[in-house]
Amino acid sequence: MSQPGLPVLPPARHHIGGIWAQPSGGETIAVEDPSTGQIVGDVAAGSAADIDAAVSAAHHAMYGAGRARWAPAQRQAALLALADAVEARAEEFARLESLDAGKPIFNARIVDVPGAIAALRYFAGWATKLTGETMELSTPGNWHGHARREPVGVVGQIVPWNYPLMGAACKIGPALAAGCAVVLKPAEQTSLSTLRLAELASECGIPAGYFNVVTGLGAEAGAALVEHPDVAKISFTGSTLTGRRIAESCGRQIKRCTVELGGKSPVIVLPDADLESAARGIATSIFFNTGQTCSAGSRLLVHASVVADLVERIAAIGASMTIGASGDADTRLGPLISAAQHSRVSGFVESAQAQGAHLAAGGALSGKGHFFRPTILTDVTAQMAAVEEEIFGPVLCVAPFETSDLDEIAALANDSAYGLAAYVWTRDITDALGLIDRLRAGTVRINSGGGNDFSMPVGGVKQSGFGRENGRAGVEAYTELKSVTMAY
């Protein structure tokens, strides 16, 4: 089912063992275009039986009798071929992301699709770089000792809806590079690009069973994946509430897990900062992707001497962002993912206003599509839900401070259950380094609203999760160390 000018969507199926598979229960989930609220197709509603079939295919690929060895160089070549295949179909993937996630086509073309390609190429390089080490043993006698890295086993991966294609690439890249077989469950709202990626993988040298995709609801397909006894590790990106449940389940099973969860990232602006650069970086961080980014700088802590000037600059940038249909090339701010998310974001803003916050810019839009303007709340207090909880929308909460004491400033920033990212704007290197030491966050960025690179590990502290993705640490997270001793 498709509309004129939109991508032709495939039938509702899973991709298991290198081929398309009908959902065992025959049920489907509607695919909605967030720009219009219209249903444009459907995906399969996966069940525990579908998950079991996918895990069985992955387990057989890694451990089945007569299996062929998938050598590191072959893994590298397959991931590079997959990156090339995505690049050759870049416009197709951009249109799928735009339709499915409500992303402005401009953003999908310059961020999501190129980011997915870059991720696959980066992780491809690691397939031939994983090493162990030899040790000189002190035990009496003649010994050889070494530790080797081996794939952890079948991996279950669960990806959120805010960056579907890039999120999938960042999950499968390190796992496949390490030699693991993957069962990936994309978000039920945004499964289309991941299914297309799996289809291409089978054409690019990834052996059958090494990359399986089962679509469906988290409470059914996701839960079955987490609980499956043949899954050795779970990698989850999403909400803290769901991540907590997954971590509890994995702990009970003594199963490895990595969870990258929510954030309420502080942005600290000292009085000496370049305000024009800061305004651009802050606006990009909180408004890009309609604020649906886990590391978005959503709490602005700014010195009182510059707060009015800075807020005015950020508001002007937000007001200049063209809001419109995701498929329009001029659109820079698309819709929120769903009506439920629109209602949730609206609730936070209305609640803050009822408690005394001032709506300095933006607010909800009504009508067709789930649109929300770039929004700034001032006069907020630390006890407001909008300040304490992750909104996951284009809402910036502003709180001024007057102190110059770094301990006091850092205490304001650290006054959160989360610890995913933090941002600092200052020209003073001493203040920058001092705050880096004091901030409790997995990532600290100085004079930048971005600066992501796949070589840099990412992850959180406190309620933002544990474990790291990307970089060497992200690949090694999919391996186990095996110690070997030999007497001679």
Side-chain angles (χ1 to χ4, degrees):
M1 177 179 179
S2 65
Q3 297 176 5
L6 296 179
V8 177
L9 305 189
R13 299 173 296 183
H14 308 300
H15 206 269
I16 298 174
I19 59 174
W20 292 111
Q22 297 293 332
S24 60
E27 297 182 353
T28 61
I29 300 170
V31 174
E32 181 194 47
D33 176 359
S35 287
T36 64
Q38 293 181 331
I39 303 302
V40 295
D42 49 30
V43 295
S47 64
D50 298 316
I51 289 292
D52 185 63
V55 173
S56 296
H59 194 271
H60 179 77
M62 289 193 72
Y63 305 115
R67 71 190 185 281
R69 177 173 178 256
W70 196 26
Q74 292 173 312
R75 303 199 294 265
Q76 175 179 269
L79 284 169
L80 289 174
L82 182 57
D84 290 344
V86 174
E87 187 172 50
R89 299 161 179 82
E91 183 62 16
E92 175 190 351
F93 275 100
R95 294 177 70 210
L96 278 174
E97 290 292 83
S98 180
L99 171 68
D100 206 15
K103 290 178 177 288
I105 189 71
F106 177 85
N107 293 355
R109 287 168 176 160
I110 69 168
V111 174
D112 295 81
V113 177
I117 296 165
L120 292 170
R121 286 176 176 157
Y122 172 80
F123 290 115
W126 274 109
T128 57
K129 312 294 187 301
L130 291 171
T131 62
E133 59 180 334
T134 60
M135 295 84 163
E136 184 178 359
L137 307 186
S138 298
T139 304
N142 297 317
W143 296 91
H144 166 82
H146 73 269
R148 55 184 290 176
R149 287 199 175 273
E150 297 182 346
V152 69
V154 175
V155 174
Q157 299 180 323
I158 302 173
V159 180
W161 43 258
N162 54 341
Y163 292 94
L165 178 63
M166 190 157 51
C170 288
K171 291 289 189 192
I172 69 167
L176 295 177
C180 296
V182 169
V183 178
L184 189 147
K185 193 204 85 67
E188 59 268 23
Q189 301 94 333
T190 54
S191 299
L192 300 180
S193 60
T194 305
L195 288 166
R196 184 69 173 112
L197 188 68
E199 182 180 31
L200 290 177
S202 298
E203 304 169 6
C204 293
I206 295 177
Y210 267 91
F211 179 22
N212 309 275
V213 175
V214 175
T215 60
L217 299 174
E220 298 173 9
L225 183 59
V226 171
E227 292 289 336
H228 201 290
D230 287 336
V231 172
K233 173 184 169 71
I234 293 292
S235 178
F236 169 79
T237 300
S239 73
T240 294
L241 178 61
T242 302
R244 186 180 295 119
R245 293 170 179 164
I246 289 173
E248 290 171 352
S249 175
C250 289
R252 173 172 44 79
Q253 299 175 76
I254 318 297
K255 179 180 295 185
R256 280 105 181 110
C257 75
T258 298
V259 287
E260 190 209 334
L261 308 177
K264 195 69 183 178
S265 300
V267 183
I268 299 170
V269 181
L270 300 184
D272 68 322
D274 179 339
L275 295 187
E276 184 59 30
S277 295
R280 289 196 301 269
I282 294 164
T284 299
S285 177
I286 186 59
F287 300 146
F288 182 81
N289 205 43
T290 318
Q292 299 170 127
T293 301
C294 53
S295 59
S298 54
R299 289 189 296 138
L300 176 56
L301 306 171
V302 52
H303 195 273
S305 64
V306 297
V307 61
D309 189 357
L310 183 60
V311 168
E312 184 179 352
R313 292 170 187 260
I314 297 170
I317 293 171
S320 72
M321 300 178 73
T322 305
I323 300 174
S326 56
D328 189 332
D330 293 327
T331 295
R332 294 297 178 269
L333 196 75
L336 293 164
I337 189 66
S338 65
Q341 185 65 11
H342 188 277
S343 177
R344 183 175 187 273
V345 175
S346 298
F348 277 112
V349 174
E350 292 166 3
S351 173
Q353 289 179 271
Q355 296 175 65
H358 172 63
L359 184 65
L365 285 172
S366 59
K368 187 171 64 174
H370 314 309
F371 294 97
F372 210 98
R373 291 174 293 185
T375 298
I376 301 175
L377 292 171
T378 59
D379 301 324
V380 299
T381 63
Q383 293 73 35
M384 292 178 180
V387 177
E388 290 185 322
E389 299 181 36
E390 183 178 43
I391 297 176
F392 227 57
V395 181
L396 180 66
C397 296
V398 183
F401 61 84
E402 295 185 357
T403 182
S404 60
D405 184 279
L406 296 186
D407 287 325
E408 293 177 359
I409 295 170
L412 294 172
N414 292 332
D415 185 19
S416 172
Y418 297 102
L420 190 58
Y423 304 83
V424 177
W425 292 86
T426 179
R427 290 186 172 98
D428 190 317
I429 188 65
T430 300
D431 286 345
L433 292 173
L435 285 169
I436 290 171
D437 287 342
R438 292 166 170 82
L439 291 169
R440 296 186 63 196
T443 296
V444 179
R445 298 189 174 107
I446 307 298
N447 294 330
S448 171
N452 297 329
D453 191 283
F454 295 115
S455 66
M456 297 290 290
V458 296
V461 299
K462 299 190 283 185
Q463 295 299 302
S464 290
F466 52 81
R468 292 296 180 266
E469 296 186 299
N470 293 354
R472 176 190 291 272
V475 181
E476 290 184 346
Y478 288 97
T479 67
E480 294 278 23
L481 282 170
K482 177 183 285 184
S483 296
V484 179
T485 57
M486 293 187 291
Y488 63 92

